[in-house]
């Protein structure tokens, strides 16, 4: 079974930076399919960034140019480097592992990111 554990969240001032980590355990053939989502109260969980096939990355328009997703396959860890943080980035950030065969999603419990002065 795959387990995902996020860390690195916290309180940061606007314009600041934060690095989130997601440690994966279990059977992870590759980091392809790993991603980050975020969710705020009363809103749907939204995709922030993900690593697709061949390592091609995707970013939501709201974070493009500010966030960078990366991974270390030797550690089964995916990272989200966040810079130029804005108050609207405040959310619980969730690590996600999506597989196509079979189709399934694995989720961490989330880590809180609060951007406020």
């Amino acid at each position: 079974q795959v387990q995902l554990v996020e860390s690195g969240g916290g309180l940061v001032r606007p314009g600041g930076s934060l690095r989130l980590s997601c440690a994966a355990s279990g059977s992870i053939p590759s980091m392809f399919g790993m991603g980050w989502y975020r969710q705020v109260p009363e809103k749907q969980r939204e995709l922030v960034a993900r690593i697709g096939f061949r390592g091609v990355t995707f970013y939501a328009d709201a974070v493009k140019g500010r966030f960078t997703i990366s991974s270390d396959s030797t550690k089964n860890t995916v990272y989200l480097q966040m810079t130029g943080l804005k108050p609207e980035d405040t959310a619980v950030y969730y690590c996600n592992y999506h597989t196509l065969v079979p189709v399934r999603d694995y989720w961490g419990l989330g880590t809180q990111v609060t951007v406020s002065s």
Side-chain angles (χ1 to χ4, degrees):
Q1 294 184 330
V2 175
Q3 291 186 328
L4 307 173
V5 180
E6 304 95 336
S7 63
L11 174 64
V12 63
R13 298 191 181 281
S17 300
L18 209 59
R19 189 196 196 199
L20 305 183
S21 297
C22 172
S25 62
S27 182
I28 309 292
S30 77
M31 292 292 97
F32 300 155
M34 298 292 295
W36 289 93
Y37 286 70
R38 66 186 181 186
Q39 187 171 28
V40 299
E42 301 181 343
K43 291 196 66 177
Q44 186 177 355
R45 189 172 300 183
E46 65 177 4
L47 176 65
V48 176
R50 68 183 175 198
I51 303 173
F53 185 57
R54 297 184 185 276
V56 177
T57 56
F58 168 85
Y59 297 94
D61 288 342
V63 307
K64 197 171 300 181
R66 299 187 297 118
F67 291 11
T68 302
I69 188 171
S70 62
S71 65
D72 184 342
S73 61
T74 66
K75 299 180 181 295
N76 275 359
T77 300
V78 63
Y79 307 95
L80 185 67
Q81 180 66 52
M82 305 181 292
T83 62
L85 285 163
K86 306 174 180 179
E88 51 263 45
D89 294 318
T90 296
V92 176
Y93 284 70
Y94 296 91
C95 182
N96 167 263
Y97 180 48
H98 180 75
T99 63
L100 295 178
V101 184
V103 175
R104 184 165 181 174
D105 281 286
Y106 300 89
W107 298 95
L109 295 180
T111 184
Q112 177 71 47
V113 172
T114 302
V115 185
S116 176
S117 60

